[in-house]
Amino acid sequence: LEAPRRSPGGGRCVPLGVAPPVRASVPGTFAVQWWAVNVETIWSRLTRAVSVLLVVAAVLLVNVSYLPLVRENERLRQEELRLADQIKKQDDLLRQKQAAIDALRNDPGTIERLAREKLGLAKPGETVIHFEAATNPLPESAPPPR
């Protein structure tokens, strides 16, 4: 007798309709048990292929359904970074304005400088000279005055 071959799945491969002998409870005899035969048929292969395809389809369905959420999450992260940068800039501006306010409240030299620059004020006895920007600048081709 030839030893039964093994299938790739670990079961025995036997011709269709032939069962390998299985030892019976009585020593020296064999009984045929059809349910003990592991025969790989086209249906078992198809069932395995369909199962694999269903798993792949389920994974793809999950990916497709969550893709818009992933994109929305990325967009919100970019907006969060942009807003954090804007907050940092506004905080810097606030510190500058607060420093200017503190200088105006506590430093008389700052008040005097702003009064001279913005309002054109001067102390008694001082002469104020204002310089105005030239309204007709010299053409570039003209030689500079000597």
Side-chain angles (χ1 to χ4, degrees):
L1 279 176
E2 182 180 317
R5 296 175 302 178
R6 295 278 176 187
S7 70
R12 294 181 183 157
C13 290
V14 296
L16 194 57
V18 177
V22 178
R23 283 212 183 266
S25 58
V26 177
T29 62
F30 291 96
V32 176
Q33 296 178 356
W34 290 97
W35 56 269
V37 177
N38 184 12
V39 178
E40 189 169 358
T41 64
I42 187 73
W43 295 111
S44 63
R45 289 181 183 175
L46 284 175
T47 302
R48 191 177 314 126
V50 167
S51 299
V52 169
L53 288 175
L54 284 175
V55 169
V56 169
V59 168
L60 287 175
L61 180 65
V62 168
N63 283 343
V64 168
S65 63
Y66 281 110
L67 188 61
L69 293 175
V70 170
R71 288 184 179 157
E72 178 71 13
N73 190 16
E74 182 63 29
R75 185 188 66 78
L76 290 174
R77 283 184 189 166
Q78 293 295 329
E79 185 176 349
E80 180 183 12
L81 291 174
R82 182 186 61 80
L83 290 174
D85 187 45
Q86 187 176 357
I87 288 172
K88 183 182 178 298
K89 288 178 183 177
Q90 291 298 320
D91 284 344
D92 291 342
L93 182 63
L94 175 67
R95 274 191 226 89
Q96 289 175 357
K97 299 290 183 181
Q98 191 66 40
I101 290 171
D102 289 343
L104 287 171
R105 285 184 181 161
N106 302 323
D107 186 17
T110 303
I111 296 172
E112 182 180 340
R113 180 182 53 85
L114 284 177
R116 289 174 183 269
E117 290 174 3
K118 301 287 184 186
L119 303 176
L121 299 178
K123 289 183 180 179
E126 288 184 336
T127 305
V128 177
I129 301 174
H130 291 282
F131 295 96
E132 295 182 12
T135 55
N136 293 329
L138 294 175
E140 291 188 23
S141 61
R146 293 187 182 201

